[in-house]
Amino acid sequence: GGPAIVAAAGNGAHKPVPGAGADAGAAFVLESKGTWWHAGFHLTTAIVGPTVLTLPYALRGMGWALGITTLSLIAAVTFYEYSLMSRVLDHCEARGRRHIRFRELAADVLGSGWMFYFVVIVQTAINTGVSIGSILLAADCIEIMYSSLAPNGPLKLYHFIIIVAVVLAFLSQLPSFHSLRHINLVSLLLSLGYTILVSAACIRAGLSKNAPAKFYSLSSSKSEQTFNAFLSISILASVFGNGILPEIQVTKRPKLCG
């Protein structure tokens, strides 16, 4: 774990510092010097992922009215949830317990014991699935670009899977989330660029005289409608179901508290 204890500062204020039993990683993270815009980089790149690119498909499966309503509802619930989580983190930090991991926060709020291990198991399962999916998706995208540039090239999909896995293994050795701030800034700029380009291309295609026929109606098959609705809900849930806020918030400088 990485609990913190309260130590008196020279001016009479108090600030959280690593406890004597904190592991080396926790002690390093608790010395972070990040700012709020660094946290913005991390939070944006944590949410803007492959699932965001599937949002148009989610709206296609639910229809404009239900899709936008569900998207807005889930976004509002997530904003409220993150607001509560942030307040709980601040509350714990003011009392000398600065959590750097979601599982520690859950154990503090819900009680230690089996809840701690339950959160660990759930997080491990989610991280494993996301890691495998991200590697495969990144490798597939690189292969598509490679095939466009070199149609007869010798490299295959498994080569790119190995390359992506090696790069991610290297990045995983960085000592803290704060160490990724420059990489996440580049990722943020790329995401903004992609969004701008795709939006401009869609507007141009919609205004073009030669644009393909538009079809916004749902499928006539009831079973397909049901399947698409559940698939769309799972996409929306995966976009906003992100509990990485404690790890991101702890990259900021510790706040002084009386």
Side-chain angles (χ1 to χ4, degrees):
I5 60 175
V6 177
N11 58 0
H14 295 78
K15 63 179 181 178
V17 297
D23 56 70
F28 180 88
V29 170
L30 288 172
E31 296 176 358
S32 294
K33 298 179 175 59
T35 58
W36 66 268
W37 59 81
H38 291 141
F41 301 161
H42 302 316
L43 187 60
T44 304
T45 52
I47 295 176
V48 179
T51 50
V52 174
L53 305 181
T54 60
L55 282 178
Y57 189 84
L59 294 181
R60 175 182 177 273
M62 302 181 73
W64 282 105
L66 182 59
I68 294 178
T69 301
T70 306
L71 179 63
S72 302
L73 179 62
I74 295 179
V77 171
T78 303
F79 178 82
Y80 180 66
E81 174 195 355
Y82 264 34
S83 177
L84 289 180
M85 189 182 298
S86 180
R87 293 174 62 183
V88 171
L89 287 169
D90 287 339
H91 175 81
C92 293
E93 181 180 346
R95 285 155 178 77
R97 304 191 307 276
R98 193 172 193 226
H99 298 296
I100 67 172
R101 303 180 181 98
F102 181 76
R103 60 179 182 268
E104 294 168 354
L105 175 64
D108 193 359
V109 174
L110 303 175
S112 58
W114 67 269
M115 181 55 66
F116 176 84
Y117 297 101
F118 174 76
V119 174
V120 170
I121 293 173
V122 173
Q123 277 199 309
T124 301
I126 294 175
N127 290 337
T128 301
V130 170
S131 298
I132 294 175
S134 299
I135 291 175
L136 294 177
L137 179 61
D140 193 34
C141 292
I142 296 176
E143 185 198 25
I144 293 174
M145 292 187 291
Y146 174 77
S147 300
S148 301
L149 298 174
N152 299 320
L155 298 182
K156 305 298 181 182
L157 177 60
Y158 69 90
H159 291 114
F160 297 108
I161 293 177
I162 295 174
I163 293 172
V164 173
V166 170
V167 172
L168 292 183
F170 170 77
L171 293 177
S172 68
Q173 303 309 307
L174 294 177
S176 71
F177 213 139
H178 186 60
S179 304
L180 296 170
R181 61 191 182 279
H182 299 107
I183 297 176
N184 284 341
L185 173 59
V186 174
S187 177
L188 172 61
L189 295 177
L190 291 175
S191 298
L192 289 175
Y194 171 84
T195 302
I196 293 172
L197 289 175
V198 171
S199 299
C202 291
I203 293 174
R204 181 179 179 182
L207 298 176
S208 174
K209 296 180 179 180
N210 299 322
K214 303 175 183 63
F215 181 74
Y216 296 114
S217 300
L218 298 177
S219 173
S220 58
S221 172
K222 293 296 183 181
S223 60
E224 188 173 348
Q225 288 182 14
T226 303
F227 177 80
N228 288 338
F230 279 101
L231 179 60
S232 300
I233 292 174
S234 66
I235 291 174
L236 295 176
S238 61
V239 169
F240 293 98
N242 199 318
I244 203 170
L245 184 62
E247 289 85 348
I248 292 176
Q249 182 159 299
V250 82
T251 61
K252 297 174 59 181
R253 298 186 185 97
K255 296 186 298 183
L256 296 179
C257 53

